[in-house]
Amino acid sequence: MSDYGHDLVFGSFVTPSAGNPDRTVGVAVLAEQVGLDLVTFQDHPYQPAFLDTWTLLSFVAARTSRVHLAANVTNLPLRPPAVLARSVASLDLLSGGRVGLGLGAGAFWDAIEAMGGRRLTPAQGVRALEEAIEVIRQLWDVETRGGVRVDGEFYRVVGAKRGPAPAHAAPIWLGAYKPRMLQLTGRRADGWLPSLGYLQPGDLARGNAIIDDAAQQAGRSPQDVRRLLNISGQFSAVGRGPLDGPAEQWAEELAELALEEGVGTFILGSDDPDDLRRFAGEVAPAVRELVAAERDRGAAAAGTPAQPERMPAQPEPERMPAQPEPVAAPPVRASRATATGGAFAVVPTPDDGVRRSEQEVWDESTRPTGPVPDPERTYTPQEQATGAHLVQIHDGLRAELAQIHDLIEQVAAGEIDAGAARSHINTMTMRQNRWTLGVYCESYCRIVTTHHTIEDQSFFPRLRARDPRLGPVVDRLEQEHHVIHDVLEGVDRALVAYVGSPDGLAELRAAVDLLTDALLSHLSYEERELVEPLARLGIA
């Protein structure tokens, strides 16, 4: 079992098709809009049906603002490393620190040779790749005096001036499968990037072992090497095999790969917009939640707080400008997950009583309450953290809900992507604004539904079994999940009306107001009744 504790990252592997360039770029832009962290393209310069990867990366970087970009992986035999280093650094500077460098030793040697590249044996390819990494790292190292000097078997650089340096510590990920490449990954690289379809059972574990051993021999920590994985599959209503089934099945399988095989980045190979929306809106949040819960459980058992390592190249998501009166921002608490033992100090989020809609979806006065906590009981730091975990998850939903309200107001004012909007006529701007809002709301609805599904299928049965006195509360929470599902369906209907009619904004506002009332009330009720039992019963 190898969980390296890396922050989870989710990306897309888009075909760089030259047949419909607008669609290729559109799929990449969509990946950012639905909330993915990374967009990658394969690099086969000898393939005339593909756009040139580095030209495409530059174009997509100019059309996006948050998502990270990389070749998956760069064809080194046709990309001289000294020039490649400056290409990566330049694009990283221009994009605000959003570029990674995937590297491969080369394949399809007939095609490479036809394009003027040198045919190498597998052993030569590994040696050439190591020399290339040295060239690239020296060119990026602007703090060292003197020129770059690498007198290699395949690459010679004799005094080239250093720089420019990338805007951030641009990671180097290697596409590796064989032992020599895996050893090089452990010695010199920042990440291992294989494709699941090329791996046999046990290959991930064997590869991790080789990388870990090589890293330690080089004086590095195994955690210095991020584990990335290209994946593909089918979304369907019924499970029919690995990564062939509903989003819940995908989430469970990817969470297992994260916890058992150490995978920290999942890159979906698909050009289908619906696949990307489901991957970002349903699978990714569910995987994060499952992995966080398991890490919290492991940390509690070990007596230490779970603190996943952050991915250095991953910036905080860009936030929409705040409105004068935030709708659903989490309130300031006297205490969150306290690090000390003693009396229970986690404060549930209170219901402020503010209602935006005249419609009521349930009678709040009929909500049952659970057992009164024992005032004499004390709680360990790990129990306090377990109780706070539900609040932290809910805070994420509250923050996302506030962003939906921000988006609606910005759409109404025509202010989304203001810089890009100025370059289009008003009609095109409104189309783009409305489509962006629709994607965001749709993704959020799926996140809420997935969160409730996990609670219904995992947390609630365990709570009911461990403390039967919580049965009425759990029953009511499950009933409210069904009501919220109906409210989310209303948001979907309002989105359809909004896209189809310029007068649909009022209906969409009303639907989101009702969702706000129901969801915030429900989250506060759930925290009030469950944060202490979760801590007391040790349920993560």
Side-chain angles (χ1 to χ4, degrees):
M1 178 174 179
S2 300
D3 177 10
Y4 299 95
H6 293 140
D7 210 27
L8 296 182
V9 173
F10 295 85
S12 62
F13 194 2
V14 180
T15 306
S17 174
N20 190 342
D22 288 343
R23 186 180 189 280
T24 299
V25 175
V27 172
V29 172
L30 174 66
E32 174 175 88
Q33 291 172 332
V34 300
L36 291 175
D37 310 297
L38 176 67
V39 171
T40 69
F41 302 98
Q42 56 188 291
D43 181 36
H44 296 288
Y46 38 75
Q47 174 54 269
F50 288 170
L51 297 165
D52 173 70
T53 297
W54 276 98
T55 306
L56 177 59
L57 286 168
S58 299
F59 194 87
V60 171
R63 292 284 302 274
T64 56
S65 60
R66 178 193 59 81
V67 74
H68 279 226
L69 303 161
N72 189 349
V73 289
T74 304
N75 188 295
L76 180 63
L78 293 175
R79 307 279 188 186
V83 177
L84 179 62
R86 291 198 168 134
S87 297
V88 173
S90 298
L91 188 54
D92 198 54
L93 288 164
L94 291 167
S95 66
R98 295 190 287 127
V99 179
L101 175 56
L103 276 177
F108 307 104
W109 290 103
D110 288 345
I112 290 172
E113 203 168 33
M115 286 284 287
R118 176 183 173 184
R119 182 185 293 269
L120 301 177
T121 67
Q124 289 174 327
V126 176
R127 296 200 302 272
L129 180 56
E130 185 158 19
E131 290 176 11
I133 293 173
E134 180 63 23
V135 170
I136 292 167
R137 293 207 186 279
Q138 283 200 36
L139 274 161
W140 288 350
D141 179 13
V142 295
E143 301 300 322
T144 299
R145 300 185 63 179
V148 174
R149 295 191 178 276
V150 175
D151 188 13
E153 178 183 358
F154 303 94
Y155 299 111
R156 293 184 69 246
V157 182
V158 287
K161 293 183 178 180
R162 300 173 186 268
H168 81 304
I172 296 177
W173 304 323
L174 300 189
Y177 296 92
K178 299 296 179 65
R180 280 178 292 198
M181 281 286 288
L182 293 167
Q183 290 166 358
L184 175 59
T185 303
R187 290 196 309 271
R188 300 299 306 274
D190 304 300
W192 176 32
L193 176 52
S195 294
L196 185 59
Y198 294 158
L199 298 174
Q200 298 298 319
D203 280 354
L204 281 173
R206 285 188 286 270
N208 280 333
I210 294 172
I211 291 170
D212 292 353
D213 182 61
Q216 290 169 339
Q217 290 187 31
R220 311 174 71 202
S221 167
Q223 286 185 312
D224 293 340
V225 184
R226 172 170 283 270
R227 318 303 157 110
L228 308 93
L229 187 64
N230 293 319
I231 60 172
S232 60
Q234 300 272 343
F235 286 106
S236 57
V238 179
R240 297 174 296 195
L243 294 183
D244 188 349
E248 294 82 0
Q249 175 187 327
W250 278 61
E252 292 173 358
E253 293 177 8
L254 297 189
E256 183 177 351
L257 285 170
L259 295 166
E260 299 291 334
E261 307 290 357
V263 179
T265 298
F266 296 97
I267 304 172
L268 176 63
S270 176
D271 300 324
D272 186 331
D274 287 338
D275 284 352
L276 296 183
R277 292 188 183 103
R278 297 194 70 178
F279 189 58
E282 298 179 52
V283 177
V287 175
R288 287 189 170 108
E289 193 162 344
L290 290 169
V291 171
E294 187 61 33
R295 285 173 174 173
D296 286 349
R297 188 179 299 114
T304 58
Q307 297 181 344
E309 178 182 322
R310 304 293 297 182
M311 179 180 177
Q314 191 67 23
E316 290 299 318
E318 182 177 301
R319 300 297 180 190
M320 295 296 177
Q323 298 298 318
E325 296 181 4
V327 175
V332 177
R333 289 183 174 75
S335 173
R336 297 299 295 270
T338 178
T340 60
F344 195 63
V346 180
V347 180
T349 307
D351 186 343
D352 60 11
V354 174
R355 298 295 180 263
R356 303 171 62 87
S357 173
E358 296 181 357
Q359 185 177 349
E360 295 183 357
V361 293
W362 50 55
D363 183 355
E364 295 177 5
S365 67
T366 62
R367 282 170 166 165
T369 58
V372 177
D374 180 359
E376 302 300 321
R377 192 190 193 283
T378 59
Y379 300 79
T380 67
Q382 291 73 37
E383 289 172 331
Q384 300 271 13
T386 299
H389 185 59
L390 182 66
V391 178
Q392 294 163 351
I393 292 172
H394 286 179
D395 280 353
L397 293 177
R398 293 185 184 98
E400 293 285 327
L401 186 59
Q403 289 186 33
I404 286 183
H405 283 274
D406 289 344
L407 276 168
I408 290 174
E409 297 311 315
Q410 291 175 69
V411 168
E415 294 177 351
I416 292 181
D417 287 334
R422 294 190 185 98
S423 67
H424 296 281
I425 62 175
N426 185 62
T427 302
M428 291 295 292
T429 300
M430 289 305 298
R431 285 176 183 169
Q432 181 64 30
N433 285 354
R434 290 163 65 174
W435 183 80
T436 301
L437 175 64
V439 169
Y440 193 96
C441 290
E442 180 186 26
S443 298
Y444 182 75
C445 291
R446 286 176 172 164
I447 289 170
V448 173
T449 301
T450 301
H451 171 67
H452 285 173
T453 299
I454 291 173
E455 288 186 330
D456 292 343
Q457 296 181 356
S458 177
F459 291 125
F460 288 173
R462 293 162 66 192
L463 282 166
R464 192 184 277 112
R466 296 286 298 276
D467 189 344
R469 296 175 298 171
L470 292 169
V473 171
V474 171
D475 290 341
R476 174 60 184 248
L477 290 170
E478 289 178 336
Q479 293 167 10
E480 292 189 5
H481 284 177
H482 291 292
V483 174
I484 292 173
H485 174 77
D486 293 338
V487 175
L488 291 170
E489 290 293 320
V491 174
D492 284 338
R493 289 191 295 271
L495 281 169
V496 173
Y498 173 61
V499 172
S501 168
D503 301 323
L505 188 60
E507 182 180 348
L508 179 58
R509 272 200 179 111
V512 174
D513 283 347
L514 183 60
L515 173 63
T516 300
D517 290 350
L519 188 59
L520 293 185
S521 169
H522 171 79
L523 296 179
S524 292
Y525 171 54
E526 184 172 294
E527 288 176 23
R528 186 188 78 199
E529 298 301 326
L530 295 190
V531 289
E532 189 279 334
L534 287 172
R536 170 168 49 87
L537 300 173
I539 297 177

